[in-house]
Amino acid sequence: MTWNSTMSSGYSSLEEDSEEYFFTARTSFFKKPSGKVTVSKDVEKERELRTEFSREEIRQRVDRYNLMTKDHLKMTLSHTGVYTGFIKVQMDLRRPVTVRGAQKGAGGTVKEEAFYLPRGVTNTLHISSNNTVRQVIVALLSKFTVADNPAKYALYKRYRREEQVYVCKLADGEQPLFLRLVAGPDTDTLSFVLREQQTGEVMWDAFSIPELRNFLRILDKEEDEQREAVIRRYESYRQRLQEALREVRGPS
């Protein structure tokens, strides 16, 4: 896999057990009501029902894809039937990551530190049709020398339909380049995003000591900010009450 970094946005698959969300320009990001999931899933499954194509069908689709692309990121089909191409993945990580440092500590061990990766950074990956979602995640983490367990992250796909944006988690064994080929080069039709796993309960055992310490520092900072905000608010109330009392009493 080879890399380029740009600024953009991205993310998108539909599994029976996948997490599905949607949002519009007038609503915040939230879980889609369960009563409406079936229809959209069925429509998407009809589009992606076939997961394999003949070599001739692949050739036709690759040719069509290359005619449609506008950024020169074309696909190439080899004589073996394996094709290579590019996908763009947005980094949308909300929690700090543990990164391997260049300096070594005592005993020659590599130092690690936790910090936030900038959100909104999009990486362009050159991959093959054989590469899976899990391999893409590992490659993305290696790009940023992230030492965290790849199992803590998931690749999502995003697609737009009827002025709504749907976001679904991809299974580890899915092949992103195949999804890109089927959808075409338009990122509004399909795009990818790397996010933390949405498992509900936080799996603290999966975090390293530097990560946990960093969480504590963040919590301490947030606690101090909240405390100062409460003090300022009540100080403002006190001043207003004192002014009101002075007005009622009049000049002494």
Side-chain angles (χ1 to χ4, degrees), residues 125-158:
L125 290 72
H126 184 241
I127 64 175
S128 82
S129 55
N130 290 331
N131 289 130
T132 64
V133 164
R134 180 52 49 187
Q135 290 172 327
V136 168
I137 292 174
V138 171
L140 282 168
L141 298 180
S142 298
K143 163 68 176 178
F144 293 98
T145 64
V146 175
D148 297 334
N149 187 345
K152 290 165 53 178
Y153 302 93
L155 191 66
Y156 290 75
K157 79 171 185 179
R158 181 179 66 183

Side-chain angles (χ1 to χ4, degrees), residues 78-201:
S78 71
H79 67 278
T80 61
V82 175
Y83 50 97
T84 59
F86 299 85
I87 62 169
K88 296 180 179 180
V89 181
Q90 182 192 37
M91 307 292 286
D92 185 25
L93 304 180
R94 301 173 184 273
R95 296 193 292 263
V97 298
T98 303
V99 178
R100 302 182 188 91
Q103 298 179 348
K104 293 186 177 181
T109 58
V110 178
K111 290 185 177 180
E112 295 181 349
E113 55 182 342
F115 73 97
Y116 287 96
L117 285 176
R119 296 177 64 183
V121 174
T122 297
N123 280 274
T124 302
L125 290 72
H126 184 241
I127 64 175
S128 82
S129 55
N130 290 331
N131 289 130
T132 64
V133 164
R134 180 52 49 187
Q135 290 172 327
V136 168
I137 292 174
V138 171
L140 282 168
L141 298 180
S142 298
K143 163 68 176 178
F144 293 98
T145 64
V146 175
D148 297 334
N149 187 345
K152 290 165 53 178
Y153 302 93
L155 191 66
Y156 290 75
K157 79 171 185 179
R158 181 179 66 183
Y159 61 95
R160 186 185 302 274
R161 182 179 295 118
E162 297 178 357
E163 298 184 357
Q164 291 184 343
V165 177
Y166 298 82
V167 181
C168 305
K169 179 181 174 182
L170 290 169
D172 285 350
E174 292 193 69
Q175 297 166 320
L177 194 61
F178 174 80
L179 298 178
R180 181 81 279 161
L181 178 65
V182 172
D186 187 359
T187 54
D188 282 338
T189 302
L190 172 71
S191 52
F192 300 98
V193 65
L194 182 73
R195 303 179 67 189
E196 291 91 351
Q197 289 273 17
Q198 303 294 330
T199 56
E201 287 293 325

